[in-house]
Amino acid sequence: MMVLDEAPPSQQHSQTREAIELSVVIPCLNEADTIGVCLTKALRSIGEAGIQAEVIVADNGSTDGSIEIAARLGARVVPVKKKGYGNALMGGIEAARGEYIIMGDADDSYDFLDVPRFVQKLREGFDLVQGCRLPAGGGKVLPGAMPFLHRWWGNPMFTVLSRWWFRSPVHDIYSGFRGFTKALYYRLQQRCTGMEFATEMIIKASLYRAKIAEIPITLHRDGRKSHAPHLKTFRDGWRTLRFFMLFSPRWLFLMPGLAMSALGLLGYALALPGVTIGRITFDAHTLLFASMGIMCGYEAIVFALFTRTYGVAEGLMPEDPRLTKFFKIVTLERGLIGAAIAIFLGLTLLGLAVNQWRLAHFGRLDYAHTMRYVIPGATLTTIGLQTFFSSFFLSIMGMRRQ
């Protein structure tokens, strides 16, 4: 348990016997410039508010004296061998003894004097309390505290995406200063070991309908002098975007798939009867492009089902009532029947095309005419085979749901 140095022995003994309510977890990798300031503020805020708490420094392999500073100030140092921001936090959180967890960076950009404000919200029953640095949520960014691209593009863009794609209620998804219950942490089963850890928590908490609050905070200029920030703008921006897409099969696969399929069907509606609009005639070549759109779109839709099913089965995503209803309606047997019908129709059209060739004594054909059999026939046969194999694969992945 963390106690201030000036606490008398009798008070220390009393605090030791009481349950720890809060664990402040600070990830650390060579933060000798600022770790002392962060710990001093955290300890001071805890002491002044009378919170039964501990301060944990999750060290990720520091060699600059950070560990010695933390130990001297009275923090509990938890060594974490696996490298990465997320790994360091997970190691510290799992070692924490408090009911509530507050995490914050060790670069002195967050004011740990705000710790009691987070605790108050957690005591009110919120599962997650996010500190907001941006004016949209009442926060403040001091001059030089946030790079231009982060401030005006990266952070607002990803925040809007999180609100749109995942119904996240926060206005600053990248903020690393937040409080949450340990029960929520175990419920979310976080997997990301790098910088995506923070965004994963917000996204999953939103998907799991956790009770989320937001409080305004001030972002200060990074206090480190000996080395540059660990965050890399384009590398970590891409990693965040990649995580967003992987965690949203609806926008990565389903919506593009539906759009491509719709365009393909429109192409069929124009090309099969050979519609002419002005000087433009839609013929066999249009039909070929339309088939490509339909097949690619269908494949993307199937991948959306694969991804969602896998995510739910592995606990990456919460149970989806729509997916449960889908599996009740679209069973393996119905999928196989649909596949058989598509294959039968496709082979029938291909057979008619072969018959046209036979009638021409296996000579030259009128391709504008025969392609109206060949292209739809090949498309239906391909989709039927995709449906056949996909039905079995979905059934295998869905077995854990039954």
Side-chain angles (χ1 to χ4, degrees):
M1 178 172 351
M2 184 51 54
V3 238
L4 290 173
D5 292 340
E6 62 266 29
S10 59
Q11 183 180 345
Q12 291 182 23
H13 181 68
S14 173
Q15 289 175 333
T16 304
R17 289 181 301 175
E18 295 184 36
I20 294 176
E21 180 184 22
L22 170 70
S23 295
V24 178
V25 178
I26 304 175
C28 177
L29 175 59
N30 294 327
E31 309 290 4
D33 290 340
T34 51
I35 188 67
V37 176
C38 294
L39 290 174
T40 300
K41 289 181 178 179
L43 292 168
R44 176 183 164 191
S45 64
I46 289 167
E48 290 178 350
I51 302 170
Q52 298 301 317
E54 62 178 355
V55 177
I56 294 174
V57 172
D59 185 70
N60 214 198
S62 298
T63 57
D64 65 345
S66 298
I67 300 174
E68 290 75 16
I69 295 171
R72 185 173 67 250
L73 288 172
R76 181 155 70 97
V77 178
V78 175
V80 182
K81 292 183 179 180
K82 291 183 179 179
K83 297 297 181 182
Y85 176 76
N87 274 327
L89 280 167
M90 285 189 277
I93 294 168
E94 287 165 12
R97 294 172 289 183
E99 174 189 358
Y100 304 137
I101 308 291
I102 290 179
M103 57 177 261
D105 298 341
D107 58 6
D108 197 29
S109 59
Y110 298 124
D111 189 353
F112 282 93
L113 294 176
D114 287 330
V115 164
R117 297 173 58 212
F118 287 89
V119 174
Q120 181 57 43
K121 282 291 182 182
L122 290 168
R123 286 172 175 170
E124 291 174 12
F126 289 98
D127 301 305
L128 173 63
V129 182
Q130 176 79 346
C132 181
R133 305 164 296 178
L134 301 181
K140 184 177 182 180
V141 179
L142 296 181
M146 187 181 292
F148 180 85
L149 283 177
H150 298 195
R151 171 70 178 84
W152 299 107
W153 175 248
N155 206 329
M157 178 189 71
F158 285 119
T159 297
V160 169
L161 283 179
S162 73
R163 294 173 67 86
W164 182 21
W165 288 7
F166 308 107
R167 300 294 186 267
S168 167
V170 305
H171 295 85
D172 182 10
I173 193 169
Y174 263 129
S175 174
F177 196 18
R178 64 186 63 168
F180 48 92
T181 65
K182 199 167 185 182
L184 176 67
Y185 169 76
Y186 283 123
R187 182 184 174 199
L188 298 183
Q189 300 182 52
Q190 295 210 218
R191 308 293 179 88
C192 291
T193 60
M195 297 301 297
E196 306 94 327
F197 179 91
T199 51
E200 180 190 9
M201 178 177 287
I202 296 295
I203 289 171
K204 283 183 137 180
S206 301
L207 291 175
Y208 277 87
R209 300 293 185 267
K211 194 175 180 183
I212 302 173
E214 194 172 47
I215 62 174
I217 61 172
T218 298
L219 182 69
H220 300 263
R221 193 183 184 97
D222 188 329
R224 294 172 293 194
K225 306 295 181 185
S226 58
H227 64 82
H230 299 299
L231 187 66
K232 302 297 181 184
T233 300
F234 294 102
R235 179 201 67 185
D236 292 313
W238 161 244
R239 286 170 62 176
T240 301
L241 179 59
R242 179 185 65 186
F243 176 77
F244 269 48
M245 292 190 297
L246 292 174
F247 224 83
S248 180
R250 179 183 180 186
W251 294 103
L252 177 60
F253 297 120
L254 182 60
M255 300 309 291
L258 290 174
M260 286 188 285
S261 298
L263 288 173
L265 291 172
L266 176 62
Y268 260 66
L270 295 172
L272 274 178
V275 173
T276 298
I277 300 176
R279 300 175 62 181
I280 302 173
T281 298
F282 298 94
D283 212 325
H285 292 86
T286 304
L287 204 60
L288 187 60
F289 276 85
S291 288
M292 180 182 68
I294 289 173
M295 287 190 289
C296 291
Y298 183 76
E299 187 71 17
I301 292 168
V302 169
F303 266 77
L305 287 170
F306 288 165
T307 307
R308 177 66 71 175
T309 303
Y310 175 80
V312 171
E314 292 298 314
L316 298 173
M317 303 174 187
E319 288 285 340
D320 189 336
R322 293 169 299 182
L323 191 65
T324 302
K325 186 176 180 180
F326 172 83
F327 273 107
K328 288 181 179 179
I329 297 173
V330 184
T331 61
L332 170 62
E333 293 74 19
R334 288 173 179 169
L336 295 180
I337 291 171
I341 292 172
I343 293 171
F344 174 76
L345 292 175
L347 292 177
T348 300
L349 289 172
L350 291 174
L352 290 174
V354 172
N355 188 56
Q356 291 289 322
W357 190 29
R358 181 188 64 81
L359 293 175
H361 304 290
F362 301 103
R364 290 186 178 276
L365 294 169
D366 179 0
Y367 290 114
H369 176 70
T370 56
M371 282 300 178
R372 283 175 165 76
Y373 294 100
V374 173
I375 294 174
T379 301
L380 281 169
T381 304
T382 302
I383 288 176
L385 287 170
Q386 285 180 321
T387 303
F388 178 84
F389 294 118
S390 298
S391 296
F392 275 108
F393 189 57
L394 276 170
S395 182
I396 291 169
M397 287 199 297
M399 288 178 69
R400 292 181 60 181
R401 301 167 51 84
Q402 298 172 0

